[in-house]
């Protein structure tokens, strides 16, 4: 008879996980922490619903293989090159700082050096999944601290590979054993190198032939075979399946089919990797945690504070302002999912077993749960840090927001525009201002951008738009307009407050991402706020109206009306009779055009009946606009005035004749 035990236990795992993760979601807690809690609930120390973990652990290992495979795909050479300044400076300082603090704590607690180093490796890694989701939800991925955080996370994920190779060496401290391990690793490296070179040559050609078949099922099966196959071949060299999957992802990452491969594997990865975190929760012994509550609390506090300090110092060392250092340090102050993988390797080698392993699981789960609350609170801590202006002299000068001006040099400019942020919006604005000969200066905190653009003659300076001293250097008291073209919502709000306090008459224009930030920015002192999603909605309806041959003046009028009224017009679904009139036919053989009556037009003062537009040109006047009010089918008695807009319907030639008539009208 068929044994359905595995199916029953999997069903229990997923049912309980759905309930627990749903509850965690209601409190805005990370789903990974929910899976860990679900495992603890159904494990031997909880409800004891799962008796045999063997099959579950096999499926969980597949989840880790797929997780590392997708991480490998995401590590394209282009991304690594873009984050090179973070990868080469800030990230090594952050990881190294945690290692040093762990070794110091181990020395004080009289823990062997090998174990202290291993604990440092575990705690140096942060949760890529949790942090990236938190940054995305807050719209801070492209902010200064967002880019720094992502760069450090990339380095941490890459660092997992040498840490996993280092684990057996730490577990065998004897000199002979270390030599044996190093020799085995050298052989493994050669074996893996051969696999990588062969795969790099063969995989693109194989995928090219598979894609030509135009079979999605065949493409998916090929990707799974490549992932599991390269992982299995790598394991033959003595390395883990997870490391082999990471190498497989790297092989595919430079392929033109990497994005589709990622999309196909993601559903499987999420399903199987959830089993991995549930299995870790099952292994969590709550009794061991309750037996040493103060030890758990102390380690959690040490991890949060130590990782915060290491991350903040790393960002300061990269010449970023204290605000970005605080926000980045808080974002990285938790234990990551790859630490669990490393912990399993440590358990196999004896570096982490028994109560220490349970302590690690408890600390990791709780720091993950705490992280979302810390990230929400971090802007307040950053604001307090900025308020401590008296401590500026204690920080290295290169880490403070400053302007690249010579000592005593002052800008000679007035009635100018200050642009904060030299991204796409800032560049376009600067180009238009230069063409119209309106004076302007630019502030940006990307040193490479400042050096490059200053060589091209752009009046750009390195500086923080939230620092009053920097804004004074930019002559904000004599400026006419301040434009905040930033992607960091916290920085934007702070800059509005500071600028308004320095110059109450300044006109402040702010770019923001979401409409919900509109009211708050106005309350802080912004004159004009341009939400990206708001303007995108206007552009969408404008494109739709153009498809229905609506006149351009009508579209512009509606756009301005919506900007004035917020979304009130769209919510009321009020469209003038003109729209219904124009939608009545297909308009395939005719066009709609508008004609504005200028001050020197001879049609001024004449009625539509006197002009006889239809008998003389064949075009029909289907609407007439005056002072923003549109009437369809206007009366023949209407007399035209300067500024009126006449909407014409007819063929291209008929409309051309009608517009010529309105420009050259004469009394009959």
């Amino acid at each position: 008879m068929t044994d359905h035990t595995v199916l029953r236990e999997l069903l229990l795992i997923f049912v309980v996980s759905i309930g627990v993760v749903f509850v965690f979601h209601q409190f805005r807690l990370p789903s990974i922490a929910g899976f860990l809690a679900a495992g603890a609930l159904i494990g031997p120390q909880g409800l004891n619903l799962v008796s045999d973990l063997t099959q579950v652990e096999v499926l969980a290992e597949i989840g880790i293989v797929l997780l590392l495979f997708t991480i490998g795909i995401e590590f394209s050479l282009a991304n690594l090159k873009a984050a090179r300044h973070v990868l080469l400076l800030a990230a090594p300082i952050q990881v190294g700082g945690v290692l040093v603090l762990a070794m110091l704590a181990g020395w004080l607690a009289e823990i062997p050096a090998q174990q202290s180093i291993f604990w440092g490796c575990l705690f140096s890694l942060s949760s890529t999944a949790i942090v990236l989701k938190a940054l995305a939800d807050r719209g801070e991925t492209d902010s200064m601290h967002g880019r720094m955080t992502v760069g450090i996370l990339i380095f941490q994920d890459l660092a997992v590979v040498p840490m996993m190779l280092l684990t057996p060496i730490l577990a065998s401290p004897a000199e002979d054993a270390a030599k044996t391990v190093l020799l085995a690793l050298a052989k493994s490296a050669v074996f893996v190198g051969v696999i990588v070179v062969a795969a790099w040559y063969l995989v693109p050609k194989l995928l090219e032939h598979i894609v030509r078949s135009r079979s999605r099922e065949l493409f998916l099966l090929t990707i799974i075979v490549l992932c599991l196959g390269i992982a299995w071949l790598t394991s033959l060299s003595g390395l883990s399946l997870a490391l082999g999957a990471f190498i497989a992802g790297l092989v595919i990452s430079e392929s033109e089919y990497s994005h589709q491969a990622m999309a196909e594997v993601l559903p499987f990865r999420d399903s199987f990797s959830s089993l991995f975190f549930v299995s870790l929760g099952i292994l969590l012994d709550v009794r061991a945690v309750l037996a040493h509550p103060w030890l758990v609390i102390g380690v959690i506090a040490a991890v949060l504070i130590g990782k915060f300090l290491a991350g903040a110092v790393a960002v300061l060392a990269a010449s970023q302002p204290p605000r970005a250092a605080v926000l980045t340090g808080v974002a990285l102050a938790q234990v990551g999912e790859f630490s669990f993988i490393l912990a399993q390797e440590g358990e196999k080698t004896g570096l982490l077993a028994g109560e220490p392993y349970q302590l690690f699981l408890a600390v990791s789960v709780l720091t993950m749960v705490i992280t979302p609350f810390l990230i929400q609170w971090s802007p307040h801590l950053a604001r307090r840090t900025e308020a401590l202006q008296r401590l500026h002299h204690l920080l290295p000068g290169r880490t403070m927001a400053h302007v690249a001006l010579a000592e005593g040099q002052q800008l000679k400019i007035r009635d100018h525009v200050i642009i904060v942020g030299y991204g796409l919006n800032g560049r376009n604005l600067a180009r238009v201002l230069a063409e119209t000969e309106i004076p302007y200066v630019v502030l940006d905190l990307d040193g490479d951008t400042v050096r490059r653009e200053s060589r091209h003659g752009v009046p750009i300076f390195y500086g923080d738009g939230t620092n009053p001293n920097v804004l004074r250097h930019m002559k904000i008291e004599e400026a006419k307009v301040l434009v905040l073209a930033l992607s960091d919502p916290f920085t934007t709000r702070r800059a509005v407050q500071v600028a308004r306090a320095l110059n109450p008459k300044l006109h402040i224009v702010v770019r923001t991402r979401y409409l919900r930030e509109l009211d708050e920015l106005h309350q802080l002192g912004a004159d004009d706020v341009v939400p990206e999603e708001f303007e995108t909605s206007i552009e969408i309806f404008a494109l739709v109206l153009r498809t229905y041959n609506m006149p351009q003046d009508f579209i512009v009028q509606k756009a301005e009306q919506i900007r004035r009224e917020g979304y009130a017009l769209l919510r009321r679904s009020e469209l003038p009779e003109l729209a219904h009139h124009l939608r009545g036919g297909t308009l395939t053989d005719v066009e709609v055009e508008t004609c504005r009556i200028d001050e020197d037009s001879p049609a001024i003062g004449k009625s539509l009946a006197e002009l006889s537009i239809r008998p003389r040109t064949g075009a029909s006047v289907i609407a007439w606009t005056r002072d923003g009010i549109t009437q369809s089918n206007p009366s023949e008695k209407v007399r035209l005035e300067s500024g009126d807009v006449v909407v014409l319907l007819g063929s291209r030639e008929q409309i051309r004749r009608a517009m010529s008539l309105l420009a050259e009208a004469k009394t009959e």
Side-chain angles (χ1 to χ4, degrees):
M1 183 175 178
T2 305
D3 186 6
H4 297 290
T5 304
V6 176
L7 179 61
R8 180 185 67 83
E9 293 186 346
L10 284 177
L11 184 60
L12 282 172
I13 288 173
F14 284 121
V15 169
V16 174
S17 297
I18 289 173
V20 174
V21 173
F22 176 78
V23 173
F24 272 55
H25 179 72
Q26 298 304 307
F27 291 95
R28 297 186 177 182
L29 297 175
S31 57
I32 292 176
F35 288 124
L36 292 167
L41 181 64
I42 64 179
Q45 309 304 323
L47 301 177
N48 196 22
L49 299 177
V50 178
S51 57
D52 183 11
L53 285 179
T54 305
Q55 298 295 330
V56 175
E57 288 177 348
V58 171
L59 295 175
E61 189 164 6
I62 295 176
I64 286 303
V65 166
L66 294 175
L67 178 62
L68 279 171
F69 175 67
T70 54
I71 292 295
I73 292 179
E74 291 175 339
F75 281 117
S76 66
L77 296 178
N79 291 337
L80 295 179
K81 183 178 179 181
R84 62 186 182 277
H85 66 288
V86 181
L87 296 175
L88 296 177
L89 180 61
I93 292 176
Q94 187 272 335
V95 174
V98 176
L99 284 171
V100 170
L101 291 175
M103 292 178 65
L104 179 61
W107 176 72
L108 294 174
E110 298 182 352
I111 298 174
Q114 292 82 4
Q115 292 185 12
S116 298
I117 294 174
F118 185 72
W119 279 99
C121 292
L122 292 176
F123 289 147
S124 65
L125 304 175
S126 303
S127 175
T128 304
I130 293 176
V131 175
L132 289 184
K133 186 177 187 305
L135 291 175
D137 291 344
R138 295 171 62 86
E140 297 175 353
T141 305
D142 295 328
S143 66
M144 184 191 310
H145 69 273
R147 292 193 297 269
M148 295 295 297
T149 302
V150 172
I152 294 175
L153 288 172
I154 290 175
F155 181 87
Q156 290 178 357
D157 293 344
L158 288 174
V160 172
V161 178
M163 288 178 181
M164 293 180 69
L165 297 177
L166 181 65
T167 300
I169 298 178
L170 294 175
S172 304
E175 185 177 348
D176 293 340
K179 289 182 179 179
T180 303
V181 172
L182 287 174
L183 181 60
L185 290 177
K187 293 180 180 178
S188 300
V190 173
F191 187 75
V192 170
V194 173
I195 295 175
V196 170
V197 172
W200 228 299
Y201 178 75
L202 296 176
V203 167
K205 294 184 178 181
L206 173 63
L207 290 178
E208 183 179 352
H209 289 290
I210 295 298
V211 169
R212 287 178 181 174
S213 68
R214 298 181 181 275
S215 171
R216 180 178 177 182
E217 294 81 3
L218 186 59
F219 181 82
L220 174 59
L221 289 175
T222 304
I223 293 299
I224 293 177
V225 168
L226 288 174
C227 170
L228 299 180
I230 296 177
W232 176 71
L233 288 174
T234 305
S235 69
L236 296 179
S237 67
L239 301 177
S240 67
L241 282 171
L243 182 57
F246 180 79
I247 294 172
L250 285 177
V251 170
I252 297 178
S253 66
E254 295 305 313
S255 166
E256 58 186 297
Y257 312 112
S258 60
H259 297 295
Q260 184 61 31
M262 172 73 82
E264 297 288 356
V265 172
L266 274 178
F268 296 94
R269 183 202 70 177
D270 294 340
S271 300
F272 284 106
S273 61
S274 64
L275 286 175
F276 170 72
F277 293 110
V278 171
S279 67
L280 288 175
I282 292 175
L283 297 175
L284 177 63
D285 190 349
V286 180
R287 293 175 301 180
V289 176
L290 296 178
H292 308 284
W294 293 111
L295 176 61
V296 173
I297 294 174
V299 175
I300 290 175
V303 169
L304 294 176
I305 296 173
K307 296 199 69 174
F308 166 76
L309 291 176
V313 170
V315 174
L316 289 175
S319 300
Q320 300 300 321
R323 182 190 66 258
V326 170
L327 295 175
T328 302
V330 172
L332 297 173
Q334 80 286 135
V335 181
E337 48 273 318
F338 285 121
S339 297
F340 295 114
I341 303 172
L342 192 60
Q344 285 191 329
E345 293 294 319
E347 187 185 27
K348 293 176 184 177
T349 58
L351 278 173
L352 196 69
E355 287 190 358
Y357 184 69
Q358 295 299 326
L359 175 64
F360 164 75
L361 289 178
V363 170
S364 303
V365 172
L366 292 175
T367 56
M368 285 183 168
V369 172
I370 293 171
T371 293
F373 299 103
L374 290 178
I375 291 179
Q376 290 179 2
W377 172 74
S378 60
H380 302 287
L381 178 61
R383 189 176 295 113
R384 289 180 177 272
T385 302
E386 283 190 325
L388 300 177
Q389 298 292 336
R390 58 187 176 86
L391 295 181
H392 280 189
H393 66 281
L394 299 179
L395 295 172
R398 68 179 184 277
T399 67
M400 297 305 298
H402 63 278
V403 184
L405 293 174
E407 186 69 25
Q409 180 181 354
Q410 295 291 334
L411 288 174
K412 296 181 180 179
I413 193 172
R414 61 182 299 111
D415 292 334
H416 55 291
V417 179
I418 301 175
I419 304 172
V420 181
Y422 203 62
L424 178 62
N425 294 291
R427 291 174 189 273
N428 289 336
L429 175 59
R431 185 181 64 181
V432 173
L433 293 177
E435 292 174 352
T436 53
E437 299 183 353
I438 295 176
Y440 71 95
V441 291
V442 181
L443 280 175
D444 198 272
L445 277 168
D446 188 330
D448 295 334
T449 299
V450 172
R451 285 189 292 271
R452 182 180 63 252
E453 298 299 328
S454 61
R455 287 196 296 266
H456 295 159
V458 177
I460 184 171
F461 303 96
Y462 180 84
D464 184 355
T466 65
N467 190 301
N469 293 327
V470 172
L471 293 176
R472 289 191 185 98
H473 276 294
M474 297 294 99
K475 298 291 185 181
I476 191 170
E477 294 91 346
E478 300 177 15
K480 192 169 186 177
V481 180
L482 171 69
V483 178
L484 297 170
L486 302 169
S487 57
D488 185 343
F490 171 75
T491 302
T492 299
R493 291 193 291 269
R494 177 62 178 159
V496 171
Q497 285 181 305
V498 173
R500 179 57 68 206
L502 293 174
N503 186 350
K505 297 181 180 180
L506 185 69
H507 189 89
I508 302 177
V509 181
V510 180
R511 164 231 177 175
T512 186
R513 181 165 295 181
Y514 302 113
L515 185 64
R516 62 174 178 264
E517 298 172 356
L518 196 69
D519 293 337
E520 181 181 1
L521 288 168
H522 278 303
Q523 291 173 3
L524 291 173
D527 295 289
D528 294 315
V529 182
V530 184
E532 290 180 1
E533 64 177 353
F534 183 85
E535 293 301 321
T536 300
S537 71
I538 292 178
E539 183 63 23
I540 289 173
F541 88 67
L543 291 172
V544 172
L545 293 182
R546 289 192 190 101
T547 304
Y548 281 92
N549 292 326
M550 290 286 197
Q552 182 63 27
D553 280 9
F554 172 76
I555 297 174
V556 171
Q557 174 196 343
K558 292 294 107 183
E560 293 303 320
Q561 187 173 357
I562 290 175
R563 287 190 178 99
R564 288 194 305 268
E565 300 180 8
Y567 282 109
L569 181 65
L570 291 179
R571 287 196 297 267
R572 292 195 306 267
S573 300
E574 292 181 356
L575 289 176
E577 295 179 5
L578 172 61
H580 176 74
H581 180 89
L582 294 178
R583 290 197 306 267
T586 60
L587 301 179
T588 54
D589 299 325
V590 295
E591 295 183 1
V592 177
E593 190 57 82
T594 60
C595 179
R596 183 181 180 86
I597 306 301
D598 296 326
E599 294 180 356
D600 57 349
S601 172
I604 292 177
K606 298 182 176 60
S607 67
L608 294 179
E610 293 174 340
L611 292 171
S612 302
I613 295 176
R614 181 177 178 83
R616 299 170 63 180
T617 67
S620 300
V621 177
I622 60 173
W624 159 69
T625 299
R626 177 177 293 173
D627 297 330
I629 300 175
T630 301
Q631 289 186 358
S632 59
N633 300 319
S635 168
E636 290 288 319
K637 298 180 180 180
V638 168
R639 293 187 177 274
L640 299 180
E641 297 180 2
S642 175
D644 288 354
V645 176
V646 177
V647 184
L648 302 169
L649 176 69
S651 66
R652 180 172 301 180
E653 179 60 27
Q654 290 172 337
I655 290 177
R656 187 192 64 78
R657 290 198 299 264
M659 295 182 73
S660 177
L661 173 66
L662 291 172
E664 302 175 359
K666 296 182 182 298
T667 306
E668 295 295 335

